[in-house]
Amino acid sequence: MHLWKHFKTITHHKLMVMKGCFSVGLYRQGLLHDLSKYMPSEFIVGAKYYQGTQSPNNAERKDKGYSSAWLHHKGRNKHHYEYWMDYSAHAGAGIIPARMPDRYVVEMFIDRMAASKNYAGKNYKDDMPLKYYQSGNPGNFMHKETRKTLEKLLKMLAAEGEDKTMHYIRKKMIPQIKKCKYQIHRKDK
């Protein structure tokens, strides 16, 4: 098992996401990001299937046909669109994607950027998160508004770079996120 290497990889990733979240004002999310990866049900599996070039969940999936670590992870982390799957209120519609709050879409974007940087290392380029996203094709599993926002950020990153994209998030998206949060709390009173 690669306990130390896996620990270093997930910690480096967590610190990159934390830095990104802090830079746009999502402090709580930055601190709490991916803490479940340190739980035994994810950490031990991650160390067992560690490769250093991609998520250990892919290797576990190849070996078993599913990833127990991923199933645990996605159910505890709101920055994954898979967390936001629910039964439709309409009979017969089955399971449908719910729209993610923008604060989690931003965290998902930062998470994808950090994962690309973590695995590509010095070879990282700003178009890599978009290319990886396009290769996965979430299709109908992601809410159309969530997809639209994420794709906008990934395309902006690829075309204009990290600094401009993070500036856009900080100046345009975060004020709206905070405004909506304030309005929700005001309605509750």
Side-chain angles (χ1 to χ4, degrees), residues 74-94:
K74 73 178 178 80
R76 285 157 184 79
N77 293 278
K78 294 178 181 180
H79 64 277
H80 291 291
Y81 69 87
E82 297 90 345
Y83 176 95
W84 297 92
M85 302 298 289
D86 200 359
Y87 285 99
S88 172
H90 305 290

Side-chain angles (χ1 to χ4, degrees), residues 2-26:
H2 301 280
L3 292 169
W4 179 244
K5 287 180 180 178
H6 180 59
F7 177 80
K8 284 182 9 180
T9 299
I10 64 174
T11 302
H12 183 251
H13 170 76
K14 182 182 176 8
L15 291 173
M16 283 193 294
V17 174
M18 188 168 70
K19 180 181 175 186
C21 285
F22 282 13
S23 77
V24 298
L26 296 176

Side-chain angles (χ1 to χ4, degrees), residues 5 15 28 34 40 49 51 59-62 64 74-75 78 86 92 103 130-131 143 151 165 172 183 188:
K5 287 180 180 178
L15 291 173
R28 186 169 192 261
D34 276 357
Y49 289 100
Q51 305 131 79
E60 183 190 17
R61 212 171 272 117
K62 271 186 172 178
K64 296 167 127 181
K74 73 178 178 80
K78 294 178 181 180
D86 200 359
R103 69 175 39 256
L130 175 62
K131 287 179 179 177
H143 189 277
E151 288 177 1
T165 306
K172 300 286 186 190
Q183 289 174 346
D188 291 343

